[in-house]
Amino acid sequence: MQVHQNISLKKYNTFGMAVTAKHFASFGSLDELEEALHFRRDNAIKGILPLMILGGGSNVLFTKDFDGLVLKNELLGIELTKEDPDYVYIKANAGEVWHNLVEYCISNNYPGLENLSLIPGNVGASPMQNIGAYGVELKDVFYELEAYNIEERVVETFSIDECNFGYRESVFKNKYKGKYIILNVTYRLRKKGVFNTQYGAINVELERMGIKEVTIRHISNAIINIRTSKLPNPKVIGNAGSFFKNPQVSKFTWHVIWEQYPDVVAHQLDDMNYKLAAGWLIEKCGWKGFRKGDAGCHEKQALVLVNYGTAKGEDILNLSDEIIASVERKFGVKLEKEVNIV
Ligand code: FAD
Ligand code: EPU
């Protein structure tokens, strides 16, 4: 394990922000992680050296240089750990690329992750914000995870209840923020999986592809087609996916908006609550396709803010604040950022 000084993070974040980390190291084993944390303690000033764990950098916006230690998680390995009549249990180390895990499961005909195809980033971040797409969330297939308690210097196991998953939320983003490093995640996959194709566009795409007998590979391919048709490829245009969450509002708020805009895109959660499509709200405010310098709002998906090349984190952040203010003025709904601002 080697600690490097003043390293550019440009290639380590999908927004392509050219900030610098004061110290940077990768770890591929628990021993290397402990060595790096030892370095952190030795180099702390008045007991403090900020720490950031980095996976694929696809859910962060760096707005300034990082005056601390960035640790890139490179713990690799995927294995089948257990099998019973109904389920297989797949354990993946946190540094594995998420889509590689999806591919592993599809190739072995283990259903459950196919709807989460092509989400960028690594396994270790998947429980952080309970990743979700096309009708499936991580919590639907989660079994347990192991995480390193930074202060106590021990590995702890978390069950699904202890993770407190919600929409793009977990205990690691809230109560335990900055306290744990996720080392591995075990997923429990049903052997006889139920195909999840309710999310409108999936069936339309399967039909367009001419699929008669659906397999998990077909679902994965359909989702990859849908995603690539509207989400910008971070290798071409910098972004971190949805910049905001879809807001949950009361039935009353939804009704007030609906009376004026009957085309409002909303999903009823229960008798009292609705989830609104933030992309629709932002588009209605006229931001879709907006560009100021190299900071912009994507032309095909208004929920995605983009860096066309030389935008700074501050430019994206300022644009996001302007969008939040304008959506609040027009609809009385306050959008919440989904991306981690560093
Ligand atoms: P990073 O950006 O590296 O880290 C995210 C946060 O988790 C940071 O706070 C980091 O410190 C922390 N963290 C990372 N690893 C660990 C660890 N091992 N232990 C402790 N903390 C850790 N997300 C969805 O949910 N659904 C989507 O459909 C989706 N589509 C996307 C499409 C695009 C084009 C892009 C660019 C992003 C998309 N995202 C989506 C967001 C992103 O891919 C996910 O949030 C992903 O899980 C982030 O993984 P990462 O490894 O890149 O995390
Ligand atoms: N819409 C618009 N204009 C837009 C964008 C969307 O009107 O510019 C409306 C359309 O009616 C569309 C609806 O909003 O049908 C929903 O759009 P989409 O299917 O693209 O999904 P989303 O709600 O915008 C969420 C997730 C995505 C996930 C998709 C698919 C959040 C914050 N985002 O987006 O996750 O891939 O659903 O399940 O929940 C991410 O988290 O980074 C991410 C990309």
Side-chain angles (χ1 to χ4, degrees), residues 58-59 115-117 119-120 129 131-137 167-168 199 201 226-227 230-231 239-247 263-266 275-284 288 297-304 336 338-339:
S58 64
N59 205 28
N115 289 52
L116 303 175
S117 292
I119 295 182
Q129 62 146 10
I131 56 169
Y134 298 95
V136 173
E137 282 185 324
Y167 167 58
R168 296 297 193 270
Y199 205 94
I226 299 167
R227 293 181 69 96
K230 58 178 160 185
L231 290 169
N239 75 94
S242 301
F243 200 87
F244 309 97
K245 290 186 187 178
N246 286 324
D263 60 329
V264 60
V265 181
K275 198 187 259 185
L276 305 181
W280 182 90
L281 297 169
I282 297 168
E283 182 174 351
K284 274 284 167 191
K288 197 169 183 171
C297 179
H298 191 52
E299 59 192 9
K300 292 187 189 152
Q301 220 312 355
L303 199 45
V304 178
E336 196 186 323
E338 199 246 295
V339 169

Side-chain angles (χ1 to χ4, degrees), residues 61 243-244 305 315-325 337 341:
L61 175 68
F243 200 87
F244 309 97
L305 300 190
D315 302 329
I316 303 284
L317 196 59
N318 290 341
L319 173 58
S320 78
D321 287 337
E322 282 184 58
I323 291 174
I324 291 172
K337 296 181 185 94
I341 312 296

Side-chain angles (χ1 to χ4, degrees), residues 28 31 38 55 75 88-89 123 171 175 194 209 237 280 287 297 301 303 320 326:
D31 284 348
H38 195 86
L75 295 167
V88 289
Y89 297 76
V123 162
V171 74
K175 186 169 142 200
V194 182
M209 288 159 63
I237 302 176
W280 182 90
W287 290 102
C297 179
Q301 220 312 355
L303 199 45
S320 78
S326 98

Side-chain angles (χ1 to χ4, degrees), residues 51-91:
L51 174 70
M52 168 157 194
I53 308 300
L54 198 57
S58 64
N59 205 28
V60 285
L61 175 68
F62 286 107
T63 56
K64 50 185 180 301
D65 290 340
F66 191 78
D67 195 22
L69 172 64
V70 171
L71 284 183
K72 173 104 174 73
N73 187 327
E74 289 182 353
L75 295 167
L76 298 180
I78 302 177
E79 58 173 334
L80 171 79
T81 51
K82 204 165 82 172
E83 194 168 351
D84 59 33
D86 295 328
Y87 296 100
V88 289
Y89 297 76
I90 309 293
K91 181 175 178 178

